[in-house]
Amino acid sequence: MSNLNNSTKAQLAERFRRFIDPEYVISDDETLRPYECDGLSMYCEMPMLVVLPETVEQVQEVLRICHREQVPVVARGAGTGLCAGAMPHAEGVVLSLAKFNRILEIDPLARSARVQPGVRNLAISEEAAAFGLYYGPDPSSQIACTIGGNVAENSGGVHCLKYGLTVHNILGVEMVTVEGERVQIGGEGLDSAGMDLLALMTGSEGLLGIVTEVRVKLLPTPERARVVMAGFDNVQTAGDAVGGIIAAGIIPGGLEMMDTHAIQAAEDFARAGYPRDARALLLCEVDGTAEEVQEHIETVETLFAQLGATSVRTSHDEAERALLWKGRKSAFPAVGRISPDYYCMDGTIPRGKLAQVLTEMDRMAERVGLRVANVFHAGDGNLHPLILFDANVPGEFEKTEELGGKILELCVEVGGCITGEHGVGVEKLRQMPVQFSDQELRQFNAIKDAFDPQGTLNPGKGVPTLRRCQEYRSIEANPEAVGA
Amino acid sequence: MSDISQQLREQILQARAGATKLDIRGGASKRFMGREPQGEALEVGRHRGIVSYEPVELVLTARAGTPLEEIVAALDEQGQMLSFEPPCFGGNATLGGTLACNQSGPGRPWGGSVRDQVLGIRLINGLGEELRFGGQVMKNVAGYDVSRLQAGAMGTLGLITEVSLKVLPKPGETLTLVTETSMAEAVRLMNERAGQPKPLSAACWHDGRLYLRLSGARSAVDATVRQWGGELLENDVAFWRELRDQRLGFFDGDAPLWRFSLRSSAEPLPLEGDWLIDWGGAQRWYRGDADRARLDALAAEAGGQVSLFRGGDRSGEVMPAQAPALRLIQQRLKRAFDPDGLFNPGRLYSWM
């Protein structure tokens, strides 16, 4: 860091300490270190400063100062994101919302809750349980991830097909603009007049404003939930079976698929009784009233058997249901045991293309000498290929990253997209020009300008500048030039 | 069944060159909404047809001028439906207009809104650029959600030319329970019952009667009917359709029709006049003399807002006032999409 920057840093820290508890203005390297990355730790950057304001007024003041001084601001929740969306900016301030961790109000009759952005996703459901209610979206990081981060990424989970994403489960947000102004978007009703700014904010990756409060919808906890596990001897048959369930008019609460690598890793780890020899495994959870679950479970069991399942098992109690899910829920750490490292991708594809995509992916992986395990939100087409690699082998991460990029491009090719729920962040900037034209990217940049003309909110994330797109495209066209 | 997007784009480019304003029209079923339309007609009605429909993927894509009835009929053949039950307003409503005006029917609190079910769009912006956002998959978080941003924008950001939607299977069984009760009691009951894990799919109150619709697996619907009690409504499909299309007697006549979008559990508002409560309490229709400032204040207290949906003076503002910061953001967004202000000038707000 240059002397000029050092003096900016000291001055800025000193100004923040005038209105924020000095302990919560972090400027020394040792304390800054934990903030250098989010859940995607391959991407690191030390921030200039980290602040942890405790009131909205303090957030406003931080933004006003940074706006005046044109200092980048990167909002951060729990740092569990998987696209380097919360990676700091070297000359910027990390604005942690960690102190905003209170549930302000639960309205059981209207079935909503008003919460601060740093509240953990799962904490909302835990608090609402007393009223027989819960919050729908359940990303796998729900123990740790915060609702503010969920809004920024439009997080999903395993129940999206039936219960939707974050965008479907929030009623309003309070936001502070880059200029430091506090605005209310949405409210307690189901819609508001004018453009749907709430939808625009959801998934905007901290590029448009800082969310300081969220009103979420709460759902009645289903009376009953049961899960059917089915093994298949090929992926195509399993994919068709998913289609069969949908065609029968059933929308399962959760519908997950795993491939051979994932099944074996999960079984070694969780001992859930998964069929080790299966090429694909489906977990289909049906929830609702006791009568409905009974009716639908029978249909699902029959369909799986008819549609070529080699084994079918249904949970009979909560313990068995939890056990069957345990394998799936521990799939990521389980894969972590069969390989020194893994890299989780997040493409979305039309479900009908699954077999084609998996076959093509295996071919691509084989060509570069890597293995891929797959976990698939089969109900909504969200594929998580886990590329297995060893970071200690020189060049292997680069190879992995390249394969990952190719996989995302394949997803776009078959009519899908480069990210279903993890977001673009820094990680997928290179693939944005694959999914979008220059005109579309220019439109995104114009939206950004409408909120943040100086471009100080989470710069370098989410949407590439056109200059960078041209660079990416010329690299694609002439890959030999890169190594130089 | 034709694709006239090039023709539409040409007209937009000409309008831009000649500084002409454009008035987007699909089926012209919602001309009464918003402020008075201005400009040269940009007719989208002929840009119609279902482009693709994959029942097993639960995704349908259609051109913006496709009548809803055509879409509903195609879905019906496969045992599927538009879960947001959009109003057809006499049969002419189109898919594009439904999204632009964010129109959803009685099932909205449970089946989602049109905005909730949109997966992607094609749009021609004010520069005449043909853009594609979102896609045909359930989850897509790449880039800003421009598709859903259109809901309620009333065409001010560009011409929607194609929409992809999530569709859902039809329920196995649907029944409607009717109970005689007061408005206040109905609001309480609607909300209490919506908090139970039962197959409730619509809740409306009018003229002393509470209507609760149950949809789902037959066994679940039957069991809930036994638990909750009440009279079964005969010909309930017609009732919900007439409510959806605003053809119930309540909607007759020229008196101004106000729409409140509120906290579903809000106590009845202290306003004399005729009320119809839908969306389990979250959408309330009011016909009566009223001072706008008073309505706004009452709506705000109930966590929401009020608009002049139909009738009355449509040269003034009909939508609720926007806070200055939000107004500024929307004006800037308008410029980001339509720098010359071609599309639907003044339709949403006088300042847009």
Side-chain angles (χ1 to χ4, degrees):
Chain A
M1 201 178 275
S2 69
N3 284 337
L4 183 70
N5 281 345
N6 271 330
S7 79
T8 313
K9 174 175 172 165
Q11 282 172 12
L12 212 51
E14 144 64 17
R15 281 170 76 181
F16 290 150
R17 287 188 181 116
R18 282 182 217 156
F19 61 92
I20 295 175
D21 183 337
E23 248 186 79
Y24 298 148
V25 177
I26 300 168
S27 56
D28 65 290
D29 280 2
E30 195 186 336
T31 324
L32 286 174
R33 184 69 63 191
Y35 293 90
E36 69 177 353
C37 65
D38 61 15
L40 188 64
S41 56
M42 296 82 149
Y43 291 84
C44 289
E45 185 79 82
M46 283 287 277
M48 176 171 66
L49 290 172
V50 173
V51 293
L52 296 93
E54 295 173 281
T55 66
V56 178
E57 290 73 19
Q58 291 173 351
V59 172
Q60 289 177 278
E61 193 55 23
V62 168
L63 282 161
R64 275 187 214 117
I65 291 170
C66 290
H67 182 61
R68 249 191 332 263
E69 308 294 336
Q70 300 192 27
V71 173
V73 177
V74 178
R76 182 185 176 97
T80 56
L82 292 172
C83 65
M87 186 184 88
H89 191 285
E91 279 120 41
V93 171
V94 168
L95 177 57
S96 165
L97 281 311
K99 301 286 170 196
F100 290 81
N101 58 359
R102 285 189 306 130
I103 294 176
L104 301 170
E105 174 200 351
I106 288 191
D107 183 338
L109 191 57
R111 289 148 284 124
S112 76
R114 192 161 60 88
V115 305
Q116 292 186 322
V119 168
R120 291 176 306 111
N121 172 297
L122 189 60
I124 303 174
S125 290
E126 286 169 349
E127 192 85 4
F131 306 101
L133 302 169
Y134 76 108
Y135 175 64
D138 59 344
S140 58
S141 53
Q142 74 172 154
I143 297 172
C145 67
T146 63
I147 190 71
N150 290 179
V151 172
E153 302 295 342
N154 192 16
S155 307
V158 299
H159 293 94
C160 302
L161 179 67
K162 187 167 179 181
Y163 297 106
L165 307 158
T166 305
V167 71
H168 302 104
N169 287 281
I170 60 174
L171 294 168
V173 298
E174 181 193 76
M175 168 184 113
V176 178
T177 66
V178 71
E179 293 97 352
E181 196 151 352
R182 197 167 173 169
V183 295
Q184 183 66 42
I185 295 174
E188 295 180 66
L190 292 172
D191 54 29
S192 321
M195 303 167 188
D196 199 325
L197 297 177
L198 186 60
L200 186 65
M201 282 306 299
T202 312
S204 63
E205 303 195 9
L207 271 76
L208 305 181
I210 306 291
V211 168
T212 47
E213 202 174 288
V214 187
R215 184 172 285 274
V216 302
K217 281 187 206 172
L218 300 173
L219 300 169
T221 310
E223 275 176 13
R224 194 85 213 271
R226 291 178 74 187
V227 60
V228 184
M229 174 184 79
F232 292 83
D233 56 15
N234 85 58
V235 170
Q236 179 80 50
T237 316
D240 291 347
V242 171
I245 302 290
I246 306 282
I250 294 173
I251 299 295
L255 188 52
E256 295 290 304
M257 191 192 288
M258 295 159 75
D259 73 357
T260 310
H261 292 310
I263 297 168
Q264 289 174 3
E267 181 57 18
D268 286 344
F269 187 84
R271 310 249 173 252
Y274 288 0
R276 290 175 155 282
D277 53 344
R279 303 285 294 177
L281 181 109
L282 283 178
L283 287 171
C284 175
E285 179 160 289
V286 175
D287 62 9
T289 67
E291 301 83 8
E292 184 177 15
V293 170
Q294 185 62 33
E295 190 176 322
H296 284 167
I297 280 287
E298 285 166 16
T299 312
V300 170
E301 285 173 336
T302 311
L303 275 171
F304 277 157
Q306 280 170 3
L307 295 172
T310 48
S311 61
V312 179
R313 177 175 160 194
T314 305
S315 70
H316 289 90
D317 51 34
E318 277 304 293
E320 193 175 8
R321 176 175 159 249
L323 180 68
L324 291 179
W325 273 114
K326 190 180 167 198
R328 165 60 187 90
K329 291 195 169 166
S330 54
F332 288 19
V335 164
R337 296 206 321 181
I338 61 169
S339 170
D341 299 283
Y342 69 88
Y343 189 25
C344 176
M345 309 305 297
D346 172 47
T348 301
I349 55 172
R351 207 185 317 101
K353 305 281 187 189
L354 178 65
Q356 180 195 334
V357 168
L358 292 187
T359 310
E360 179 60 24
M361 213 156 64
D362 271 345
R363 269 217 330 246
M364 293 191 310
E366 213 170 297
R367 218 175 292 150
V368 291
L370 291 169
R371 283 182 303 158
V372 182
N374 279 287
V375 174
F376 185 48
H377 300 305
D380 49 43
N382 193 186
L383 184 64
H384 292 307
L386 306 169
I387 306 175
L388 314 182
F389 72 103
D390 184 348
N392 289 324
V393 176
E396 196 152 296
F397 176 65
E398 289 71 21
K399 225 162 57 174
T400 298
E401 228 185 352
E402 201 185 322
L403 173 63
K406 291 265 184 293
I407 290 173
L408 296 185
E409 287 165 26
L410 175 64
C411 292
V412 175
E413 205 179 292
V414 301
C417 72
I418 60 171
T419 172
E421 58 185 0
H422 294 173
V424 175
V426 180
E427 186 202 18
K428 300 176 201 79
L429 278 179
R430 274 186 85 137
Q431 280 75 41
M432 283 294 276
V434 178
Q435 190 173 332
F436 297 102
S437 71
D438 283 358
Q439 289 180 334
E440 287 153 4
L441 293 170
R442 202 178 299 128
Q443 187 67 76
F444 285 147
N445 282 314
I447 293 171
K448 166 75 169 166
D449 285 348
F451 285 81
D452 176 22
Q454 297 185 142
T456 50
L457 285 177
N458 214 5
K461 317 277 176 68
V463 182
T465 60
L466 286 177
R467 193 175 49 76
R468 285 183 74 171
C469 291
Q470 279 158 12
E471 284 165 19
Y472 296 151
R473 287 200 172 110
S474 69
I475 291 168
E476 294 295 322
N478 186 13
E480 302 306 315
V482 190
Chain B
M1 294 294 281
S2 58
D3 180 349
I4 60 160
S5 54
Q6 284 318 306
Q7 216 172 301
L8 293 166
R9 180 166 170 265
E10 275 304 310
Q11 195 183 342
I12 291 166
L13 289 171
Q14 275 170 21
R16 186 164 186 239
T20 316
K21 305 296 176 194
L22 295 169
D23 168 22
I24 303 172
R25 292 186 208 190
S29 65
K30 292 183 274 291
R31 304 294 289 168
F32 64 86
M33 281 182 70
R35 300 175 70 253
E36 282 167 3
Q38 301 169 38
E40 177 189 292
L42 181 61
E43 298 279 0
V44 201
R46 283 195 304 113
H47 184 62
R48 60 190 281 183
I50 294 171
V51 177
S52 69
Y53 172 32
E54 297 285 342
V56 170
E57 300 280 346
L58 300 172
V59 178
L60 177 140
T61 300
R63 297 192 182 100
T66 314
L68 292 176
E69 289 191 340
E70 189 178 320
I71 295 171
V72 169
L75 292 171
D76 201 50
E77 278 179 27
Q78 302 292 329
Q80 295 188 337
M81 62 174 187
L82 294 175
S83 62
F84 52 95
E85 276 188 292
C88 288
F89 291 115
N92 294 324
T94 62
L95 180 56
T98 298
L99 174 59
C101 298
N102 196 22
Q103 288 297 296
S104 306
R108 192 263 174 261
W110 296 274
S113 62
V114 56
R115 164 267 203 196
D116 287 341
Q117 305 305 88
V118 162
L119 302 175
I121 58 163
R122 283 178 189 269
L123 175 105
I124 306 178
N125 67 10
L127 302 174
E129 295 172 336
E130 292 187 272
L131 310 173
R132 204 178 38 86
F133 298 102
Q136 303 189 348
V137 284
M138 302 291 157
K139 289 160 90 177
N140 183 351
V141 293
Y144 302 115
D145 195 342
V146 176
S147 311
R148 294 193 173 98
L149 174 67
Q150 306 302 320
M154 294 192 79
T156 50
L157 298 176
L159 178 69
I160 301 166
T161 56
E162 194 178 287
V163 181
S164 294
L165 290 169
K166 178 180 174 184
V167 299
L168 285 173
K170 291 173 115 178
E173 169 90 296
T174 295
L175 290 174
T176 301
L177 293 171
V178 189
T179 333
E180 305 263 331
T181 182
S182 68
M183 176 158 48
E185 180 64 7
V187 167
R188 191 184 62 77
L189 263 175
M190 284 173 174
N191 280 279
E192 274 181 15
R193 293 198 163 162
Q196 298 174 20
K198 298 294 177 191
L200 188 62
S201 70
C204 158
W205 177 90
H206 177 56
D207 205 14
R209 286 155 73 87
L210 168 67
Y211 302 81
L212 298 176
R213 186 176 67 185
L214 299 164
S215 310
R218 180 181 297 271
S219 54
V221 170
D222 290 347
T224 309
V225 166
R226 283 194 300 275
Q227 285 168 31
W228 285 0
E231 296 273 311
L232 281 180
L233 179 67
E234 276 181 42
N235 203 6
D236 64 331
V237 174
F239 171 79
W240 294 107
R241 191 172 53 225
E242 283 174 19
L243 170 62
R244 180 195 77 186
D245 291 345
Q246 301 194 350
R247 289 195 314 229
L248 292 174
F250 171 85
F251 295 99
D252 289 347
D254 296 327
L257 175 66
W258 297 92
R259 174 182 184 266
F260 287 85
S261 176
L262 306 172
R263 175 173 64 248
S264 61
S265 61
E267 301 271 326
L269 305 189
L271 289 167
E272 284 302 312
D274 200 8
W275 286 92
L276 186 148
I277 299 184
D278 195 6
W279 290 8
Q283 175 174 257
R284 304 185 189 187
W285 300 100
Y286 172 61
R287 308 201 79 160
D289 281 330
D291 163 47
R292 176 86 204 210
R294 172 131 196 271
L295 297 188
D296 284 335
L298 288 170
E301 260 174 59
Q305 44 178 237
V306 57
S307 54
L308 179 53
F309 191 79
R310 190 197 278 263
D313 175 13
R314 309 205 78 81
S315 59
E317 300 297 357
V318 295
M319 296 292 176
Q322 296 275 351
L326 289 185
R327 173 173 161 164
L328 184 64
I329 288 171
Q330 292 184 63
Q331 284 174 322
R332 287 183 187 164
L333 279 172
K334 166 78 173 169
R335 275 202 296 279
F337 280 86
D338 179 20
D340 301 307
L342 304 180
F343 299 110
N344 289 358
R347 186 83 192 267
L348 184 58
Y349 284 102
S350 61
W351 41 265
M352 181 157 325

